[in-house]
Amino acid sequence: MVLKELIDHQNTIKLVIDTLQGDIETACEMITTTVKNGNKVLFAGNGGSAADAQHLAAELTGRFVKERKALPGIALTVDTSAMTAIANDYHYDRVFARQVEAFAKPGDLFIGISTSGNSQGILNAFETAAQYGCKTLGLSGRDGGKMNGACDLNIVVPSNTTARIQEMHILIGHIMCQAVDNLFD
């Protein structure tokens, strides 16, 4: 079982290398342009993708590898009072869109993470982000789902296995964080 999982991971990385380098480079440009212009990066996802959103936001506000100034990365998944109030007063699928409405400014970047590409909450947040002049970046898997038409760039991990998709999302996120760190050489 262990060897099978490791080989599956290795095969997924090979597919990412073969098919997604250009998209990952574009994502790096999106996040570095956002940071260079003094704007913020908003992240959201559900379940494991919520944890990934928090992880990547922390890499900006804390640090990734090198010592540099703190950068504005906000995970929209961490304020339980806001999330439960919005879910109660509106609907759960408005939790992220409502927060984007509150925090987003033109020039910001919203990164939505969904392994299926079909999370209605993420799709609604993309729509709101675009209305507020934000760039939008998706991290998805499988066939990309509805996110394919909902954001400026949807990076679709070529896998149907949730664990492999999530592993690649963190790898891609770390590559973007390295691009940000490189701004401070």
Side-chain angles (χ1 to χ4, degrees):
M1 187 239 3
V2 172
L3 182 59
K4 177 191 172 300
E5 293 298 308
L6 290 169
I7 290 171
D8 192 35
H9 178 90
Q10 183 180 39
N11 290 338
T12 305
I13 288 176
K14 173 85 169 88
L15 287 170
V16 167
I17 291 169
D18 291 345
T19 62
L20 295 180
Q21 284 186 66
D23 285 347
I24 296 169
E25 288 173 5
T26 300
C28 289
E29 291 171 18
M30 291 171 78
I31 196 167
T32 56
T33 298
T34 301
V35 170
K36 280 192 283 192
N37 290 337
N39 293 97
K40 63 187 161 300
V41 184
L42 306 170
F43 297 89
N46 296 292
S49 297
D52 293 346
Q54 290 170 221
H55 177 152
L56 295 172
E59 300 288 21
L60 294 180
T61 58
R63 70 166 186 207
F64 180 57
V65 174
K66 71 176 2 172
E67 289 297 328
R68 55 154 169 76
K69 71 178 192 165
L71 300 168
I74 300 171
L76 303 179
T77 56
V78 298
D79 186 342
T80 55
S81 295
M83 290 181 67
T84 57
I86 295 165
N88 185 62
D89 294 347
Y90 298 91
H91 190 275
Y92 183 78
D93 68 11
R94 302 299 306 164
V95 165
F96 303 130
R98 191 77 174 161
Q99 292 182 82
V100 167
E101 182 180 335
F103 299 124
K105 302 283 186 245
D108 289 346
L109 174 63
F110 172 70
I111 299 177
I113 309 171
S114 168
T115 58
S116 70
N118 291 315
S119 166
Q120 191 60 52
I122 298 297
L123 294 168
N124 290 341
F126 281 135
E127 182 180 329
T128 301
Q131 291 170 358
Y132 281 80
C134 296
K135 290 291 186 183
T136 54
L137 171 61
L139 298 176
S140 68
R142 297 181 175 82
D143 65 359
K146 294 176 184 174
M147 283 172 52
N148 285 330
C151 50
D152 295 317
L153 173 64
N154 187 23
I155 299 179
V156 182
V157 173
S159 176
N160 290 319
T161 304
T162 298
R164 298 297 89 82
I165 296 166
Q166 290 173 330
E167 291 159 6
M168 296 306 111
H169 286 172
I170 284 298
L171 175 60
I172 292 164
H174 280 167
I175 292 168
M176 292 189 302
C177 290
Q178 184 62 59
V180 169
D181 268 11
N182 290 348
L183 293 174
F184 296 89
D185 283 338

